[in-house]
Amino acid sequence: MSSSFQLDKAIGMHINRTAFLMTEEIARRFAGRGYPLSAQDFGILFRLHEQGPLTQVALAGLMMRDKTTITRRIDGLVKKALVKRIPHPDDRRYFHIVLTDKGKAAMDVLLPLVRDFQQEVLDGISEEHRAITMQTLQHISHMLMQKKKEQT
């Protein structure tokens, strides 16, 4: 049976493979510096570093993950003393998630690692190709998010 579809030319397969390899490598580098964290863990720490205290619901939305997954990730970060939960001042049902001093110190190590890794994987790719790639991925993401909104 012949088909015009070729998996080797499917953008989704390449995005997924690249994302897997990048998240695996950055986790290896984090661990090598004494921080056994995933890329998702870093994403949470980064959002808190950039935006300050956030609720778990807000983090779930920013990270595009369900509440259960975010809760599990935050639990792990609390056990590592990188974040803590503070009762929400206006609603006792919610908590603000904040970086601890240890979490802030971790970001001083992790941010340069991620920045350098990004530069490393983009080495040899022209600014023009980088811009086109970003525009293409943003277009695909935007289109898929619109479809998701339409379905809900």
Side-chain angles (χ1 to χ4, degrees):
M1 177 164 35
S2 178
S3 171
S4 62
F5 175 77
Q6 295 178 17
L7 184 61
D8 291 345
K9 294 183 179 179
I11 193 166
M13 198 245 349
H14 288 283
I15 291 169
N16 189 48
R17 179 170 51 192
T18 302
F20 173 78
L21 291 169
M22 288 181 73
T23 57
E24 190 176 68
E25 176 60 19
I26 200 65
R28 186 188 69 72
R29 292 179 187 205
F30 290 162
R33 294 298 295 270
Y35 294 99
L37 301 169
S38 69
Q40 277 190 19
D41 293 334
F42 174 78
I44 292 168
L45 296 175
F46 181 80
R47 294 294 186 176
L48 295 171
H49 175 76
E50 290 291 307
Q51 298 179 5
L54 294 167
T55 65
Q56 289 183 193
V57 172
L59 278 167
L62 289 168
M63 301 292 296
M64 296 181 68
R65 298 289 186 260
D66 61 77
K67 289 184 239 176
T68 303
T69 300
I70 288 297
T71 298
R72 196 169 40 246
R73 301 248 57 106
I74 291 169
D75 288 346
L77 293 170
V78 167
K79 286 179 185 172
K80 293 174 183 169
L82 297 172
V83 302
K84 62 183 174 182
R85 291 179 171 97
I86 297 174
H88 192 286
D90 301 324
D91 192 335
R92 294 185 316 173
R93 296 173 295 169
Y94 295 100
F95 291 91
H96 274 133
I97 311 304
V98 298
L99 286 177
T100 62
D101 288 341
K102 185 176 177 182
K104 291 174 187 174
M107 290 304 289
D108 290 340
V109 173
L110 302 176
L111 277 170
L113 273 177
V114 173
R115 183 197 60 234
D116 293 349
F117 179 59
Q118 290 293 307
Q119 290 174 345
E120 183 183 323
V121 298
L122 294 172
D123 187 44
I125 300 172
S126 71
E127 287 298 323
E128 179 184 7
H129 281 106
R130 291 178 191 193
I132 291 168
T133 301
M134 288 299 292
Q135 290 169 352
T136 302
L137 292 173
Q138 288 168 346
H139 175 80
I140 292 168
S141 293
H142 179 75
M143 181 199 57
L144 291 170
M145 288 172 70
Q146 286 301 112
K147 286 185 183 272
K148 186 174 180 177
K149 285 181 184 176
E150 291 169 5
Q151 293 171 355
T152 56

